Coordinates of all heavy atoms in Angstrom, one line a residue:
M1 N 46.7 202.5 133.0 CA 45.8 201.4 133.0 C 44.7 201.5 131.9 O 44.3 200.5 131.3 CB 45.1 201.3 134.4 CG 44.2 200.1 134.5 SD 45.1 198.6 134.4 CE 43.9 197.4 134.8
A2 N 44.3 202.7 131.6 CA 43.3 202.9 130.5 C 43.8 202.4 129.2 O 43.0 201.9 128.4 CB 42.9 204.4 130.5
W3 N 45.1 202.6 128.9 CA 45.7 202.2 127.6 C 45.7 200.7 127.5 O 45.4 200.1 126.5 CB 47.0 202.8 127.4 CG 47.0 204.2 127.0 CD1 47.3 205.3 127.8 CD2 46.5 204.8 125.8 NE1 47.1 206.4 127.2 CE2 46.6 206.2 125.9 CE3 46.0 204.2 124.6 CZ2 46.2 207.0 124.9 CZ3 45.7 205.0 123.6 CH2 45.8 206.4 123.7
V4 N 45.9 200.0 128.7 CA 45.9 198.5 128.7 C 44.4 198.1 128.4 O 44.2 197.1 127.6 CB 46.4 198.0 130.0 CG1 46.2 196.5 130.1 CG2 47.8 198.3 130.2
L5 N 43.5 198.7 129.0 CA 42.1 198.4 128.8 C 41.7 198.6 127.3 O 41.0 197.8 126.7 CB 41.1 199.2 129.7 CG 41.2 199.0 131.2 CD1 40.4 200.0 131.9 CD2 40.7 197.6 131.5
L6 N 42.2 199.7 126.8 CA 41.9 200.0 125.4 C 42.5 199.0 124.4 O 41.9 198.5 123.5 CB 42.3 201.4 125.0 CG 41.9 201.9 123.7 CD1 40.4 201.9 123.5 CD2 42.5 203.3 123.4
L7 N 43.8 198.6 124.7 CA 44.4 197.6 123.8 C 43.7 196.3 123.9 O 43.4 195.7 122.9 CB 45.9 197.4 124.3 CG 46.7 196.3 123.6 CD1 46.8 196.6 122.1 CD2 48.0 196.1 124.3
T8 N 43.3 195.9 125.1 CA 42.6 194.7 125.3 C 41.2 194.7 124.6 O 40.8 193.8 123.9 CB 42.4 194.3 126.7 OG1 43.7 194.4 127.4 CG2 41.8 193.0 126.9
A9 N 40.5 195.9 124.6 CA 39.3 196.1 123.9 C 39.5 195.9 122.4 O 38.6 195.3 121.8 CB 38.7 197.5 124.3
G10 N 40.6 196.5 121.9 CA 40.9 196.3 120.5 C 41.1 194.9 120.1 O 40.7 194.5 119.0
L11 N 41.7 194.1 121.0 CA 42.0 192.7 120.7 C 40.6 191.9 120.6 O 40.4 191.1 119.8 CB 42.9 192.1 121.7 CG 44.3 192.6 121.6 CD1 45.2 192.0 122.8 CD2 45.0 192.4 120.3
F12 N 39.7 192.3 121.5 CA 38.4 191.7 121.5 C 37.6 192.1 120.3 O 36.7 191.4 119.9 CB 37.7 191.9 122.8 CG 38.0 190.9 123.9 CD1 39.0 191.2 124.8 CD2 37.4 189.6 123.9 CE1 39.4 190.2 125.8 CE2 37.8 188.7 124.9 CZ 38.8 189.0 125.8
E13 N 37.9 193.3 119.8 CA 37.2 193.8 118.6 C 37.6 192.9 117.5 O 36.8 192.5 116.6 CB 37.7 195.3 118.3 CG 37.3 195.8 117.0 CD 35.9 196.5 117.1 OE1 35.2 196.4 118.1 OE2 35.6 197.2 116.1
I14 N 38.8 192.5 117.4 CA 39.3 191.5 116.4 C 38.5 190.2 116.6 O 38.1 189.6 115.6 CB 40.8 191.3 116.5 CG1 41.5 192.6 116.2 CG2 41.3 190.2 115.5 CD1 43.0 192.6 116.6
C15 N 38.4 189.7 117.8 CA 37.8 188.5 118.1 C 36.3 188.4 117.6 O 35.9 187.5 116.9 CB 37.8 188.2 119.6 SG 39.4 187.8 120.3
W16 N 35.6 189.5 117.9 CA 34.2 189.4 117.5 C 34.0 189.6 116.0 O 33.1 189.1 115.4 CB 33.3 190.4 118.3 CG 33.3 191.8 118.0 CD1 34.0 192.8 118.8 CD2 32.7 192.5 117.0 NE1 33.7 194.0 118.2 CE2 32.9 193.9 117.1 CE3 31.8 192.1 115.9 CZ2 32.4 194.9 116.3 CZ3 31.4 193.1 115.1 CH2 31.6 194.4 115.2
S17 N 34.9 190.4 115.4 CA 34.7 190.5 113.9 C 35.1 189.2 113.2 O 34.4 188.8 112.2 CB 35.6 191.7 113.4 OG 36.9 191.5 113.6
I18 N 36.1 188.5 113.6 CA 36.4 187.2 113.0 C 35.3 186.2 113.4 O 34.9 185.4 112.5 CB 37.8 186.7 113.5 CG1 38.9 187.7 113.0 CG2 38.1 185.3 113.1 CD1 39.1 187.7 111.5
G19 N 34.8 186.3 114.6 CA 33.7 185.4 115.0 C 32.5 185.6 114.1 O 31.8 184.7 113.8
M20 N 32.3 186.9 113.7 CA 31.1 187.1 112.9 C 31.3 186.4 111.5 O 30.3 185.8 111.0 CB 31.0 188.6 112.6 CG 29.6 189.0 112.0 SD 29.4 190.8 111.8 CE 30.1 191.5 113.2
K21 N 32.5 186.4 111.0 CA 32.7 185.7 109.7 C 32.5 184.2 109.9 O 31.9 183.5 109.1 CB 34.2 186.0 109.3 CG 34.6 185.2 108.1 CD 34.0 185.7 106.8 CE 34.7 185.1 105.6 NZ 34.0 185.4 104.4
L22 N 33.0 183.7 111.0 CA 32.9 182.2 111.3 C 31.5 181.8 111.6 O 31.2 180.7 111.5 CB 33.9 181.9 112.5 CG 35.4 182.0 112.2 CD1 36.2 181.8 113.5 CD2 35.8 181.1 111.1
S23 N 30.7 182.7 112.1 CA 29.3 182.4 112.5 C 28.4 182.2 111.3 O 27.3 181.7 111.4 CB 28.7 183.5 113.4 OG 28.4 184.6 112.6
D24 N 28.9 182.6 110.1 CA 28.2 182.4 108.8 C 26.8 183.0 108.9 O 25.8 182.3 108.8 CB 28.1 180.9 108.5 CG 27.7 180.6 107.1 OD1 27.9 181.5 106.2 OD2 27.1 179.6 106.8
G25 N 26.8 184.3 109.2 CA 25.5 185.0 109.4 C 24.7 184.6 110.6 O 23.5 184.6 110.6
F26 N 25.4 184.3 111.7 CA 24.8 183.9 112.9 C 24.0 182.6 112.8 O 23.0 182.4 113.5 CB 24.0 185.0 113.6 CG 24.8 186.2 114.0 CD1 24.9 187.4 113.3 CD2 25.6 186.1 115.1 CE1 25.7 188.4 113.7 CE2 26.4 187.1 115.6 CZ 26.5 188.3 114.8
T27 N 24.4 181.7 111.9 CA 23.7 180.5 111.7 C 24.4 179.3 112.4 O 23.9 178.2 112.5 CB 23.6 180.1 110.2 OG1 24.9 180.0 109.6 CG2 22.7 181.2 109.4
R28 N 25.6 179.6 112.9 CA 26.3 178.6 113.7 C 26.4 179.0 115.1 O 26.8 180.1 115.4 CB 27.7 178.4 113.1 CG 27.6 177.9 111.6 CD 29.0 177.8 110.9 NE 29.8 176.9 111.6 CZ 31.1 177.0 111.7 NH1 31.7 178.0 111.2 NH2 31.8 176.1 112.3
L29 N 26.0 178.1 116.0 CA 25.8 178.5 117.5 C 27.1 178.9 118.1 O 27.2 180.0 118.7 CB 25.3 177.3 118.2 CG 25.1 177.5 119.7 CD1 24.1 178.6 120.0 CD2 24.7 176.2 120.4
W30 N 28.2 178.1 118.1 CA 29.4 178.5 118.9 C 30.1 179.7 118.4 O 30.4 180.6 119.2 CB 30.3 177.3 119.1 CG 29.6 176.2 119.9 CD1 29.2 175.0 119.5 CD2 29.3 176.3 121.3 NE1 28.6 174.3 120.6 CE2 28.6 175.1 121.7 CE3 29.4 177.3 122.3 CZ2 28.2 174.8 123.0 CZ3 29.0 177.0 123.6 CH2 28.3 175.8 123.9
P31 N 30.3 179.8 117.1 CA 30.9 181.1 116.6 C 30.0 182.3 116.9 O 30.5 183.4 117.2 CB 31.0 180.8 115.1 CG 31.1 179.4 115.0 CD 30.2 178.8 116.0
S32 N 28.7 182.1 116.9 CA 27.8 183.2 117.2 C 27.9 183.6 118.6 O 28.0 184.8 119.0 CB 26.3 182.8 116.9 OG 26.2 182.6 115.5
L33 N 28.0 182.7 119.5 CA 28.2 183.0 121.0 C 29.5 183.6 121.2 O 29.6 184.6 122.0 CB 28.0 181.7 121.8 CG 26.6 181.1 121.9 CD1 26.6 179.8 122.6 CD2 25.6 182.1 122.4
F34 N 30.6 183.2 120.5 CA 31.9 183.7 120.6 C 31.8 185.2 120.2 O 32.4 186.1 120.8 CB 32.9 182.9 119.8 CG 34.2 183.5 119.6 CD1 35.2 183.3 120.6 CD2 34.6 184.2 118.5 CE1 36.5 183.8 120.5 CE2 35.9 184.7 118.4 CZ 36.8 184.5 119.4
T35 N 31.1 185.5 119.1 CA 31.0 186.8 118.6 C 30.3 187.7 119.5 O 30.8 188.8 119.8 CB 30.2 186.8 117.2 OG1 30.9 186.0 116.3 CG2 30.0 188.2 116.7
V36 N 29.2 187.3 120.1 CA 28.5 188.1 121.0 C 29.3 188.4 122.3 O 29.4 189.5 122.8 CB 27.1 187.5 121.4 CG1 26.4 188.2 122.5 CG2 26.2 187.5 120.1
A37 N 30.0 187.4 122.8 CA 30.8 187.5 124.0 C 31.9 188.5 123.7 O 32.2 189.4 124.5 CB 31.4 186.2 124.4
G38 N 32.6 188.4 122.6 CA 33.7 189.3 122.2 C 33.2 190.7 122.1 O 33.9 191.6 122.5
L39 N 32.0 190.9 121.5 CA 31.4 192.2 121.4 C 31.2 192.9 122.7 O 31.5 194.0 123.0 CB 30.2 192.2 120.5 CG 29.4 193.5 120.3 CD1 30.3 194.5 119.6 CD2 28.2 193.2 119.5
I40 N 30.6 192.1 123.6 CA 30.3 192.6 125.0 C 31.5 193.0 125.7 O 31.6 194.1 126.3 CB 29.4 191.6 125.8 CG1 28.0 191.4 125.2 CG2 29.4 191.9 127.3 CD1 27.2 190.3 125.7
V41 N 32.5 192.1 125.7 CA 33.8 192.4 126.4 C 34.5 193.6 125.8 O 34.9 194.5 126.5 CB 34.7 191.2 126.4 CG1 36.1 191.5 126.9 CG2 34.1 190.0 127.2
S42 N 34.5 193.7 124.4 CA 35.2 194.8 123.7 C 34.5 196.1 124.1 O 35.2 197.1 124.4 CB 35.1 194.6 122.2 OG 35.7 195.6 121.5
M43 N 33.2 196.2 124.0 CA 32.5 197.4 124.4 C 32.6 197.8 125.8 O 32.8 199.0 126.2 CB 31.0 197.3 124.0 CG 30.7 197.2 122.6 SD 30.9 198.8 121.9 CE 30.3 198.5 120.2
G44 N 32.6 196.8 126.7 CA 32.8 197.0 128.1 C 34.1 197.6 128.5 O 34.3 198.6 129.2
L45 N 35.2 197.1 127.8 CA 36.5 197.6 128.1 C 36.7 199.0 127.5 O 37.4 199.8 128.0 CB 37.6 196.6 127.5 CG 37.7 195.3 128.3 CD1 38.6 194.3 127.5 CD2 38.2 195.5 129.7
L46 N 36.1 199.2 126.3 CA 36.2 200.5 125.7 C 35.5 201.5 126.6 O 36.0 202.6 126.8 CB 35.5 200.5 124.3 CG 35.4 201.9 123.6 CD1 36.8 202.5 123.3 CD2 34.6 201.7 122.3
S47 N 34.4 201.2 127.1 CA 33.6 202.0 128.0 C 34.4 202.4 129.2 O 34.5 203.5 129.7 CB 32.3 201.3 128.4 OG 31.6 202.1 129.3
A48 N 35.2 201.4 129.8 CA 36.0 201.7 130.9 C 37.2 202.6 130.6 O 37.6 203.5 131.3 CB 36.5 200.4 131.5
A49 N 37.7 202.4 129.4 CA 38.9 203.2 129.0 C 38.6 204.6 128.7 O 39.4 205.5 129.0 CB 39.5 202.6 127.7
V50 N 37.4 204.9 128.2 CA 37.0 206.3 127.9 C 36.7 207.1 129.2 O 36.5 208.3 129.1 CB 35.9 206.4 126.9 CG1 36.3 205.8 125.6 CG2 34.6 205.9 127.4
R51 N 36.7 206.5 130.3 CA 36.5 207.2 131.5 C 37.7 208.2 131.7 O 37.5 209.2 132.3 CB 36.4 206.3 132.7 CG 35.1 205.6 132.8 CD 35.0 204.7 134.0 NE 33.8 203.9 133.9 CZ 33.7 202.6 134.4 NH1 34.8 202.1 135.1 NH2 32.7 201.9 134.3
S52 N 38.9 207.8 131.3 CA 40.0 208.6 131.5 C 40.8 209.0 130.2 O 41.8 209.7 130.3 CB 41.0 208.0 132.5 OG 41.4 206.7 132.0
L53 N 40.3 208.5 129.0 CA 41.0 208.9 127.8 C 40.0 209.7 126.9 O 38.8 209.5 127.1 CB 41.3 207.6 127.0 CG 42.4 206.7 127.6 CD1 42.5 205.4 126.7 CD2 43.7 207.4 127.7
P54 N 40.5 210.6 126.1 CA 39.6 211.3 125.2 C 38.8 210.3 124.3 O 39.4 209.4 123.7 CB 40.5 212.2 124.4 CG 41.8 212.2 125.1 CD 41.9 211.0 125.9
I55 N 37.5 210.6 124.1 CA 36.7 209.6 123.3 C 37.2 209.5 121.9 O 37.2 208.4 121.3 CB 35.2 210.0 123.4 CG1 34.4 208.9 122.7 CG2 35.0 211.3 122.8 CD1 34.4 207.6 123.3
G56 N 37.6 210.6 121.3 CA 38.0 210.6 119.9 C 39.3 209.8 119.7 O 39.4 209.0 118.8
T57 N 40.2 209.9 120.6 CA 41.4 209.1 120.6 C 41.1 207.6 120.9 O 41.6 206.8 120.1 CB 42.4 209.6 121.7 OG1 42.7 211.0 121.4 CG2 43.7 208.8 121.7
A58 N 40.4 207.4 121.9 CA 40.1 206.0 122.3 C 39.4 205.3 121.2 O 39.7 204.1 120.8 CB 39.3 206.0 123.6
Y59 N 38.4 205.9 120.6 CA 37.6 205.3 119.6 C 38.4 205.0 118.3 O 38.4 203.9 117.7 CB 36.4 206.1 119.2 CG 35.5 205.4 118.2 CD1 34.7 204.3 118.6 CD2 35.5 205.8 116.9 CE1 33.9 203.7 117.7 CE2 34.7 205.2 116.0 CZ 33.9 204.1 116.3 OH 33.1 203.5 115.4
G60 N 39.3 206.0 118.0 CA 40.1 205.8 116.8 C 41.1 204.7 117.0 O 41.4 203.9 116.1
V61 N 41.7 204.6 118.2 CA 42.7 203.5 118.5 C 42.0 202.2 118.5 O 42.4 201.2 117.9 CB 43.4 203.8 119.8 CG1 44.2 202.6 120.2 CG2 44.3 205.0 119.6
W62 N 40.8 202.1 119.1 CA 40.0 200.9 119.2 C 39.7 200.4 117.8 O 39.9 199.2 117.5 CB 38.8 201.2 120.0 CG 37.8 200.1 120.2 CD1 38.0 198.9 121.0 CD2 36.5 200.0 119.7 NE1 36.8 198.2 120.9 CE2 35.9 198.8 120.2 CE3 35.8 200.8 118.9 CZ2 34.6 198.4 119.8 CZ3 34.5 200.5 118.6 CH2 33.9 199.3 119.0
V63 N 39.1 201.2 117.0 CA 38.7 200.9 115.6 C 40.0 200.5 114.8 O 40.0 199.5 114.0 CB 38.0 202.0 114.9 CG1 37.8 201.7 113.4 CG2 36.6 202.2 115.6
G64 N 41.0 201.2 115.0 CA 42.3 201.0 114.2 C 42.9 199.6 114.5 O 43.2 198.8 113.7
I65 N 42.9 199.3 115.8 CA 43.4 198.0 116.3 C 42.5 196.9 115.6 O 43.0 195.9 115.1 CB 43.4 197.8 117.8 CG1 44.5 198.7 118.4 CG2 43.7 196.4 118.2 CD1 44.4 198.9 119.9
G66 N 41.2 197.1 115.7 CA 40.3 196.1 115.2 C 40.5 196.0 113.7 O 40.5 194.8 113.1
A67 N 40.6 197.1 113.0 CA 40.7 197.0 111.5 C 42.0 196.3 111.1 O 42.0 195.5 110.2 CB 40.7 198.4 110.9
V68 N 43.1 196.7 111.7 CA 44.4 196.1 111.3 C 44.5 194.6 111.7 O 44.8 193.8 110.8 CB 45.6 196.9 112.0 CG1 46.9 196.1 111.8 CG2 45.7 198.3 111.5
G69 N 44.0 194.3 112.9 CA 44.1 192.9 113.3 C 43.1 192.0 112.5 O 43.5 190.9 112.1
T70 N 42.0 192.5 112.2 CA 41.0 191.8 111.4 C 41.5 191.6 109.9 O 41.4 190.5 109.4 CB 39.6 192.5 111.4 OG1 39.2 192.5 112.8 CG2 38.6 191.7 110.6
A71 N 42.1 192.6 109.4 CA 42.6 192.5 108.0 C 43.7 191.5 108.0 O 43.8 190.7 107.0 CB 43.1 193.9 107.5
L72 N 44.6 191.5 108.9 CA 45.7 190.6 108.9 C 45.2 189.1 109.1 O 45.7 188.2 108.4 CB 46.7 190.9 110.0 CG 47.5 192.2 109.8 CD1 48.4 192.5 111.0 CD2 48.4 192.1 108.6
L73 N 44.3 188.9 110.0 CA 43.7 187.6 110.2 C 42.9 187.2 109.0 O 42.9 186.0 108.7 CB 42.9 187.5 111.5 CG 43.7 187.4 112.8 CD1 42.7 187.4 114.0 CD2 44.6 186.2 112.8
G74 N 42.2 188.1 108.4 CA 41.5 187.8 107.1 C 42.5 187.2 106.1 O 42.2 186.3 105.4
M75 N 43.7 187.8 106.0 CA 44.7 187.4 105.1 C 45.2 186.0 105.5 O 45.4 185.1 104.6 CB 45.9 188.3 105.0 CG 45.5 189.7 104.4 SD 46.9 190.8 104.5 CE 46.1 192.4 104.2
L76 N 45.4 185.8 106.7 CA 46.0 184.5 107.2 C 44.9 183.4 107.2 O 45.2 182.3 106.8 CB 46.5 184.7 108.6 CG 47.8 185.5 108.7 CD1 48.1 185.7 110.2 CD2 48.9 184.8 108.1
L77 N 43.7 183.6 107.7 CA 42.7 182.6 107.9 C 41.8 182.4 106.7 O 41.4 181.2 106.5 CB 41.9 182.9 109.1 CG 42.6 183.0 110.5 CD1 41.6 183.5 111.5 CD2 43.2 181.7 110.9
F78 N 41.5 183.4 106.0 CA 40.5 183.3 104.9 C 41.1 183.6 103.6 O 40.4 183.7 102.6 CB 39.4 184.3 105.2 CG 38.8 184.1 106.6 CD1 38.8 185.2 107.5 CD2 38.2 182.9 107.0 CE1 38.3 185.0 108.8 CE2 37.6 182.8 108.2 CZ 37.7 183.8 109.1
H79 N 42.4 183.6 103.5 CA 43.1 183.8 102.2 C 42.7 185.0 101.4 O 42.6 184.9 100.2 CB 43.0 182.5 101.4 CG 43.4 181.3 102.2 ND1 44.7 181.0 102.6 CD2 42.7 180.3 102.7 CE1 44.7 179.9 103.3 NE2 43.5 179.4 103.4
E80 N 42.4 186.1 102.2 CA 42.1 187.3 101.5 C 43.4 187.8 100.8 O 44.5 187.5 101.2 CB 41.6 188.3 102.5 CG 40.2 187.9 103.0 CD 39.7 188.8 104.1 OE1 40.4 189.8 104.5 OE2 38.6 188.6 104.6
P81 N 43.3 188.7 99.8 CA 44.5 189.1 99.0 C 45.5 189.8 99.9 O 45.2 190.6 100.8 CB 43.9 190.1 98.0 CG 42.4 189.8 97.9 CD 42.1 189.2 99.3
V82 N 46.8 189.5 99.7 CA 47.9 190.1 100.3 C 48.7 190.8 99.2 O 49.3 190.2 98.4 CB 48.8 189.1 101.0 CG1 50.0 189.8 101.7 CG2 48.1 188.3 102.0
T83 N 48.5 192.1 99.1 CA 49.1 192.9 98.1 C 50.0 194.0 98.7 O 49.7 194.4 99.9 CB 48.1 193.6 97.2 OG1 47.3 194.5 97.9 CG2 47.2 192.6 96.6
P84 N 51.0 194.5 98.0 CA 51.8 195.6 98.6 C 50.9 196.8 99.0 O 51.2 197.4 100.0 CB 52.7 195.9 97.5 CG 52.9 194.7 96.7 CD 51.5 194.0 96.7
A85 N 49.9 197.1 98.2 CA 49.1 198.3 98.6 C 48.3 198.0 99.9 O 48.2 198.9 100.7 CB 48.1 198.5 97.4
R86 N 47.8 196.8 100.1 CA 47.1 196.5 101.3 C 48.0 196.6 102.5 O 47.6 197.2 103.5 CB 46.4 195.1 101.2 CG 45.2 195.1 100.3 CD 44.5 193.8 100.4 NE 43.8 193.9 101.7 CZ 42.9 193.0 102.1 NH1 42.6 191.9 101.4 NH2 42.3 193.0 103.3
I87 N 49.2 196.1 102.4 CA 50.2 196.1 103.5 C 50.5 197.6 103.7 O 50.6 198.0 104.9 CB 51.4 195.3 103.1 CG1 51.0 193.8 102.9 CG2 52.5 195.4 104.2 CD1 50.4 193.1 104.1
F88 N 50.8 198.4 102.7 CA 51.1 199.8 102.9 C 50.0 200.5 103.7 O 50.3 201.2 104.6 CB 51.3 200.4 101.5 CG 51.5 201.9 101.6 CD1 52.7 202.5 102.0 CD2 50.5 202.8 101.2 CE1 52.8 203.8 102.1 CE2 50.6 204.1 101.3 CZ 51.8 204.7 101.7
F89 N 48.8 200.3 103.3 CA 47.7 201.0 104.0 C 47.5 200.5 105.4 O 47.1 201.3 106.3 CB 46.4 201.0 103.1 CG 46.5 201.9 101.9 CD1 46.5 201.4 100.7 CD2 46.7 203.3 102.1 CE1 46.6 202.2 99.5 CE2 46.8 204.1 101.0 CZ 46.8 203.6 99.7
L90 N 47.7 199.2 105.6 CA 47.6 198.7 107.0 C 48.8 199.4 107.8 O 48.5 199.7 109.0 CB 47.7 197.2 107.0 CG 46.5 196.5 106.6 CD1 46.8 195.0 106.5 CD2 45.3 196.7 107.5
L91 N 49.9 199.5 107.3 CA 51.0 200.2 108.0 C 50.7 201.7 108.3 O 51.0 202.2 109.3 CB 52.3 200.1 107.2 CG 53.0 198.7 107.2 CD1 54.1 198.7 106.2 CD2 53.4 198.3 108.6
L92 N 50.0 202.3 107.3 CA 49.5 203.7 107.6 C 48.6 203.7 108.8 O 48.6 204.7 109.6 CB 48.9 204.3 106.4 CG 49.8 204.8 105.2 CD1 48.9 205.3 104.1 CD2 50.7 205.8 105.7
L93 N 47.7 202.7 108.9 CA 46.8 202.7 110.0 C 47.6 202.5 111.3 O 47.2 203.1 112.3 CB 45.8 201.5 109.9 CG 44.5 201.8 109.0 CD1 43.8 200.5 108.8 CD2 43.7 202.8 109.7
V94 N 48.6 201.7 111.3 CA 49.4 201.5 112.5 C 50.1 202.8 112.9 O 50.1 203.2 114.1 CB 50.4 200.4 112.3 CG1 51.4 200.3 113.5 CG2 49.8 199.0 112.1
V95 N 50.6 203.5 111.9 CA 51.2 204.8 112.2 C 50.1 205.8 112.8 O 50.4 206.5 113.7 CB 51.8 205.4 110.9 CG1 52.2 206.9 111.1 CG2 53.0 204.6 110.5
A96 N 48.9 205.8 112.2 CA 47.9 206.6 112.8 C 47.5 206.3 114.2 O 47.3 207.1 115.0 CB 46.6 206.6 111.9
I97 N 47.4 205.0 114.5 CA 47.1 204.5 115.9 C 48.2 205.0 116.8 O 47.9 205.6 117.9 CB 47.0 203.0 115.9 CG1 45.8 202.5 115.1 CG2 46.9 202.5 117.3 CD1 45.7 201.0 114.8
V98 N 49.5 204.8 116.5 CA 50.6 205.2 117.3 C 50.5 206.8 117.5 O 50.7 207.3 118.6 CB 51.9 204.8 116.7 CG1 53.1 205.4 117.5 CG2 52.0 203.3 116.8
G99 N 50.2 207.5 116.4 CA 50.1 208.9 116.4 C 49.0 209.4 117.4 O 49.2 210.4 118.1
L100 N 47.9 208.8 117.3 CA 46.8 209.1 118.2 C 47.2 208.9 119.7 O 46.9 209.7 120.5 CB 45.5 208.3 117.9 CG 44.7 208.8 116.7 CD1 43.6 207.8 116.3 CD2 44.1 210.2 116.9
E101 N 47.8 207.8 119.9 CA 48.2 207.5 121.3 C 49.3 208.5 121.8 O 49.2 209.0 122.9 CB 48.8 206.1 121.4 CG 49.2 205.7 122.8 CD 49.8 204.3 122.9 OE1 49.7 203.5 121.9 OE2 50.3 204.0 124.0
A102 N 50.2 208.8 120.9 CA 51.3 209.7 121.3 C 50.8 211.1 121.5 O 51.4 211.9 122.3 CB 52.4 209.7 120.2
T103 N 49.7 211.5 120.9 CA 49.3 212.9 121.1 C 48.0 213.0 122.0 O 47.5 214.1 122.0 CB 48.9 213.5 119.7 OG1 47.9 212.7 119.0 CG2 50.2 213.5 118.8
A104 N 47.7 211.9 122.6 CA 46.5 211.9 123.5 C 46.6 212.8 124.7 O 45.6 213.4 125.2 CB 46.1 210.5 123.9
G105 N 47.8 212.8 125.3 CA 47.9 213.6 126.5 C 47.2 213.0 127.7 O 47.0 213.7 128.7
G106 N 46.9 211.7 127.6 CA 46.2 211.1 128.8 C 46.9 210.0 129.3 O 47.4 209.4 129.9

């Protein structure tokens, strides 16, 4: 169950980071509220997950999910550069996330 909480926390990490971009420096009400809500949910779920997972593993996976998801959505929604190097390094992050999960022992 802790891994499900952590995965969900990572997805909300993506939500609040994209919301931050959409809020335009917290000058737009609804995207700003979306950002704050996503941040609260993400942190709450991470907090619940670390009750039974190692903090280093949980934090690394949480940040990794957020980084990969946000980078991919940045490419799709905001037309950020899509280069072979960026894709390669995102894939390395995915390998690292899977590796952290596989070696967590929790």
Side-chain angles (χ1 to χ4, degrees):
M1 183 63 171
W3 286 106
V4 172
L5 292 173
L6 186 59
L7 174 64
T8 307
L11 295 175
F12 276 95
E13 174 87 350
I14 298 165
C15 291
W16 76 257
S17 61
I18 294 298
M20 192 178 323
K21 173 76 170 172
L22 295 173
S23 75
D24 197 25
F26 294 104
T27 61
R28 299 177 60 215
L29 177 63
W30 293 112
S32 296
L33 293 176
F34 174 80
T35 300
V36 171
L39 180 59
I40 290 169
V41 172
S42 181
M43 290 286 185
L45 291 171
L46 175 63
S47 176
V50 299
R51 290 183 187 145
S52 58
L53 295 174
I55 187 65
T57 300
Y59 185 74
V61 169
W62 178 71
V63 168
I65 291 169
V68 170
T70 301
L72 291 174
L73 283 178
M75 292 175 198
L76 290 171
L77 299 176
F78 306 119
H79 308 289
E80 294 175 358
V82 180
T83 64
R86 288 189 73 173
I87 299 301
F88 173 74
F89 288 114
L90 287 173
L91 289 172
L92 282 180
L93 276 172
V94 171
V95 169
I97 293 166
V98 171
L100 282 171
E101 181 179 353
T103 60

